[in-house]
Amino acid sequence: MCGLIAGIGKVSLTTLDKAVATLTHRGPESSETWVSENKSMFLGHTRLSIIGLDNGAQPISNADGNVHIVVNGEFYGYREIRDRLLAEGAVFKTETDSEIALHLYLHYGLQALKELRGEFSIVIADERQNGLIAIRDRFGIKPLFYTVHQGAVYFASEIKALLALGVPARWDLETAFYDGFLFRDHARTLFKDIWSVPQGQYAIATPDDIRLYTYWDWDFPTESALALDGRSDAECIEEFRSILKESIQDRLVADVPVACYLSGGIDSCAVLGFAQQGLSRPIECYTLAFDDELYNEAPIAEKQAAFAGANYNPIIVGRKDLASAYSDAVWHAETPFVNANGVAKFLLSRAVNQRGIKVVLTGEGADEMLGGYLPFKRDAILHHGNGRSEADSQAMIEQIFESNPAARAIFMRDGADDPAIKEVAARLGWVPSFMETYGQLGRISSSLYRDEMMAGIHPTANPFTYVMDRLPVSQALDGRSRLNQALYLNSKTHMANFILTFLGDRMEMAHSVEGRLPMLDHRLAECAARLPIDMKVRGITEKHVLREAAKDVLIDEVYTREKHPFLAPPVTNAEDPMMQMYEDVFASKALEEQPVIDPERARNALNMVKMLEGEQKIAFEGLIHKVASITLMHERFGMTV
């Protein structure tokens, strides 16, 4: 993994070097730049060497010297593609996987994108067309931002690099409002006029224009097509298992050791189990260990590691650790938090880096593909009951809520009277459960916003319909099952903006650790899309196909365990270091100066959280994280309106 920067427009070498330096954490081993002869285009790159350790410097140029490329990410199955390209006459300059993207483009143009598999962002400077082509992977695993500033077009792996080019750090207050609903349009960021290239899209930029195009989208079959699926359970399970195992084996290819992040959940345990099967040595696995039993999965992870034959490494994270790292984690994330889980991931990656590890396999993506979260289970129970009575469905829902206090605390279910939710119901004919929860969270967050900010937001502004209007809803959702509709909408919003950001790339690459996500191989996602609903959620059991596909590599405790959300423990008392950190931030000048949160309302909310107990504290501490992280963003980035 690496960091990249690119632009159309003149820039001084001093400024370019400064901007590239802001990405050193993404690639600490080398940095290079390229500037066109007429000074109209430039590329920059920082390298974390994983494959082709000694000769992988970027940018990489073609033989004619008029097409140049920088890549952040990994391409899987690259050796076969490389061999084919060599047979077709391509001449490679490096041993890296990145270079196949250049030669595929030279041979096939943008049709080559269908051959690229993995986590990546790419920028190609094509002097023949006097333009840049910027490409984002299918799920948005790797970040890629852009802006148009004073007639120049800039791209970068992180927003801080754009700021170093002279782009002002200003709040986008409308996006800040939408962000409170955890349903932000993926193209928008909280920085005004700075955008994200959406997942599965590429941008073509010329000196006077920038346009975006979709090259891949998650395509769910219609309900009628699903009804005609004559495969047996065993056939579905075997296909899923085969693709998953291949995806994991592909992600073990590296010229450096590959480790695993391991929790007590089925996703990372399955990844570890299949990864260990393909190795002759014990794989190193790393687990976050908390001091709160409800959130500590270390004992289960240790048993799973022993069963798999892996080396177990617990990383103990205390409340003092979370408090001390919080501000730096926010700076790397460039987006607000709703829990300290991102900070915990930041600390895990730091510990792994200190032990010399560059590459880890992670389990993100299975919940989003297979209905793992509690709201998805609720949707499956309510809308795919196959004749089950409403009373029985409600009883099943209450059963799963009662058995999972951590999930129960953060899931709100009563949003029927919310005007925004009613509008969703009018458009879709129903309301996905996760949108009900986020709608209520958004309304609660809005109660803390400054009156001046809310005065600029239309009284009927609806983040859900705003986003839906910018998605191919009719094409992607019409005729699809309700669970699959929910999975699609979640993948375009919460997964990309939150899960893959402050629980993924940004917290890993903050410490030069490359996260590889075998669950988000697009071939596996396409397989999951075709599965019958009861292969995703069967009764009250989520991710049924994964459980059965990985049963032989899982301990019984993991195989039978339901989904527990990855959350950092809430504050305990006034002496808790996290509470002391909150107090410091809430007393800061930055809280008074930032334009989003009303300081008095924020302090009242903090006092309220201090008085709450148990699940109520878990549910409402997210507001405190929102205030603290927004305040720290304002301070660390020197943001203005």
Side-chain angles (χ1 to χ4, degrees):
M1 293 296 174
C2 308
L4 63 82
I5 191 168
I8 299 177
K10 294 185 177 180
V11 64
S12 73
L13 292 179
T14 300
T15 299
L16 179 56
D17 288 343
K18 178 182 175 183
V20 170
T22 66
L23 300 174
T24 298
H25 54 278
R26 298 189 68 89
E29 291 161 352
S30 65
S31 64
E32 302 286 343
T33 59
W34 166 85
V35 180
S36 63
E37 287 189 17
N38 63 6
K39 312 298 183 187
S40 66
M41 286 195 292
F42 64 84
L43 298 173
H45 190 263
T46 63
R47 185 169 190 237
L48 177 66
S49 55
I50 304 295
I51 293 174
L53 302 183
D54 299 325
N55 70 343
Q58 299 184 38
I60 305 171
S61 303
N62 67 338
D64 293 336
N66 54 20
V67 180
H68 320 267
I69 193 169
V70 286
V71 177
N72 166 34
E74 295 292 344
F75 301 125
Y76 304 115
Y78 80 95
R79 290 170 176 164
E80 293 81 0
I81 295 174
R82 179 188 173 95
D83 289 345
R84 191 188 80 219
L85 289 167
L86 286 169
E88 293 174 356
V91 177
F92 281 75
K93 298 179 180 180
T94 77
E95 297 298 321
T96 70
D97 59 302
S98 295
E99 193 174 353
I100 65 166
L102 173 64
H103 294 287
L104 285 171
Y105 173 72
L106 293 171
H107 279 64
Y108 308 114
L110 290 171
Q111 292 300 307
L113 294 180
K114 63 186 178 183
E115 299 200 46
L116 294 178
R117 181 165 53 87
E119 306 99 5
F120 55 84
S121 59
I122 306 166
V123 178
I124 301 168
D126 191 335
E127 294 186 271
R128 302 169 305 179
Q129 299 184 28
N130 193 30
L132 297 175
I133 301 168
I135 307 158
R136 185 95 179 271
D137 68 63
R138 293 169 178 82
F139 294 99
I141 300 168
K142 292 292 104 185
L144 185 57
F145 299 97
Y146 71 96
T147 190
V148 179
H149 177 63
Q150 295 181 349
V153 179
Y154 300 139
F155 294 91
S157 293
E158 297 186 10
I159 291 171
K160 55 184 66 69
L162 300 177
L163 304 182
L165 289 172
V167 179
R170 297 186 295 155
W171 283 102
D172 186 323
L173 296 180
E174 185 177 39
T175 303
F177 169 73
Y178 293 152
D179 190 76
F181 291 79
L182 303 183
F183 200 81
R184 170 164 40 96
D185 173 20
H186 187 41
R188 297 184 71 150
T189 76
L190 276 80
F191 293 78
K192 191 171 183 59
D193 298 326
I194 295 178
W195 306 85
S196 178
V197 176
Q199 65 268 51
Q201 294 192 17
Y202 61 88
I204 297 180
T206 58
D208 56 358
D209 187 35
I210 180 168
R211 298 191 181 188
L212 283 87
Y213 305 88
T214 298
Y215 70 90
W216 186 88
D217 201 3
W218 206 356
D219 183 16
F220 290 91
T222 62
E223 285 195 284
S224 57
L226 277 178
L228 296 175
D229 189 332
R231 291 177 296 168
S232 67
D233 284 6
E235 289 171 325
C236 291
I237 292 165
E238 180 53 38
E239 180 187 12
F240 189 88
R241 177 185 169 97
S242 175
I243 298 173
L244 175 58
K245 289 184 67 174
E246 183 179 348
S247 174
I248 292 169
Q249 293 306 311
D250 286 343
R251 283 161 176 77
L252 290 170
V253 174
D255 293 336
V256 297
V258 179
C260 277
Y261 281 166
L262 180 67
S263 70
I266 187 174
D267 311 333
S268 62
C269 290
V271 170
L272 171 67
F274 286 132
Q276 188 61 73
Q277 282 187 342
L279 295 172
S280 59
R281 56 168 178 81
I283 193 170
E284 300 295 326
C285 56
Y286 296 88
T287 299
L288 278 167
F290 294 123
D291 59 2
D292 187 315
E293 183 178 349
L294 183 61
Y295 300 90
N296 185 33
E297 300 188 345
I300 301 175
E302 185 174 12
K303 294 177 187 176
Q304 177 65 47
F307 179 76
N311 289 335
Y312 172 71
N313 300 273
I315 304 300
I316 300 171
V317 172
R319 299 167 195 275
K320 185 176 181 180
D321 302 315
L322 293 171
S324 63
Y326 198 96
S327 178
D328 286 343
V330 169
W331 185 78
H332 280 282
E334 300 175 341
T335 195
F337 290 169
V338 293
N339 187 265
N341 49 8
V343 188
K345 191 74 174 288
F346 175 89
L347 291 166
L348 174 64
S349 298
R350 185 175 72 184
V352 166
N353 169 273
Q354 291 169 347
R355 300 187 186 199
I357 297 295
K358 291 183 180 182
V359 183
V360 294
L361 303 184
T362 76
E364 282 85 9
D367 291 311
E368 289 76 14
M369 284 196 308
L370 300 173
Y373 297 124
L374 197 152
F376 296 144
K377 287 207 289 185
R378 180 174 183 260
D379 291 339
I381 291 168
L382 287 177
H383 303 292
H384 303 289
N386 296 322
R388 183 173 50 238
S389 72
E390 183 178 347
D392 287 344
S393 292
Q394 291 297 337
M396 292 170 67
I397 291 169
E398 291 306 316
Q399 179 182 344
I400 61 177
F401 274 100
E402 289 304 315
S403 66
N404 196 330
R408 181 175 67 226
I410 61 173
F411 182 54
M412 304 175 187
R413 292 176 278 171
D414 187 19
D417 293 332
D418 187 331
I421 292 300
K422 288 181 177 180
E423 195 170 352
V424 172
R427 295 196 182 196
L428 292 182
W430 75 294
V431 181
S433 295
F434 83 93
M435 293 171 72
E436 288 189 64
T437 290
Y438 295 164
Q440 291 180 82
L441 290 174
R443 294 304 170 196
I444 294 170
S445 297
S446 299
S447 69
L448 299 185
Y449 294 155
R450 289 182 184 268
D451 292 340
E452 303 93 314
M453 172 179 149
M454 292 303 293
I457 306 297
H458 194 278
T460 61
N462 186 337
F464 301 121
T465 55
Y466 177 90
V467 172
M468 289 166 60
D469 284 344
R470 286 153 180 79
L471 292 173
V473 169
S474 295
Q475 177 182 334
L477 302 188
D478 284 0
R480 273 65 174 188
S481 71
R482 290 186 170 182
L483 176 61
N484 286 341
Q485 290 183 37
L487 294 176
Y488 180 86
L489 290 170
N490 181 272
S491 77
K492 296 298 182 180
T493 53
H494 190 71
M495 182 174 77
N497 284 330
F498 301 96
I499 300 298
L500 298 180
T501 297
F502 63 63
L503 291 179
D505 172 87
R506 311 303 283 282
M507 299 298 95
E508 294 154 355
M509 290 303 290
H511 300 291
S512 309
V513 174
E514 171 181 294
R516 296 182 173 182
L517 285 68
M519 295 292 182
L520 286 183
D521 187 298
H522 74 277
R523 300 172 310 170
L524 189 65
E526 290 168 350
C527 169
R530 297 191 302 270
L531 290 171
I533 295 301
D534 71 347
M535 294 302 295
K536 298 175 184 179
V537 179
R538 179 162 294 190
I540 62 172
T541 302
E542 75 280 1
K543 295 181 286 193
H544 174 73
V545 68
L546 176 59
R547 289 177 193 277
E548 299 307 314
K551 187 175 182 178
D552 61 314
V553 299
L554 301 174
I555 60 174
D556 288 342
E557 191 171 354
V558 171
Y559 173 75
T560 59
R561 187 173 187 247
E562 67 175 312
K563 169 69 181 181
H564 285 247
F566 169 46
L567 300 170
V571 294
T572 53
N573 53 53
E575 286 70 44
D576 188 315
M578 281 295 289
M579 180 58 76
Q580 294 172 7
M581 185 274 291
Y582 293 150
E583 296 275 14
D584 290 343
V585 173
F586 280 52
S588 69
K589 183 180 179 182
L591 179 66
E592 299 291 340
E593 293 178 341
Q594 54 73 38
V596 179
I597 304 293
D598 182 280
E600 182 178 356
R601 294 171 190 164
R603 293 177 186 125
N604 288 339
L606 181 60
N607 289 332
M608 178 190 72
V609 167
K610 290 178 182 178
M611 295 184 291
L612 296 175
E613 298 292 339
E615 294 177 13
Q616 285 186 313
K617 179 171 286 189
I618 299 169
F620 285 95
E621 194 178 337
L623 288 176
I624 308 307
H625 284 291
K626 180 75 73 172
V627 174
S629 52
I630 284 174
T631 302
L632 289 167
M633 281 181 64
H634 186 82
E635 179 180 61
R636 293 292 299 266
F637 291 104
M639 297 181 73
T640 61
V641 178

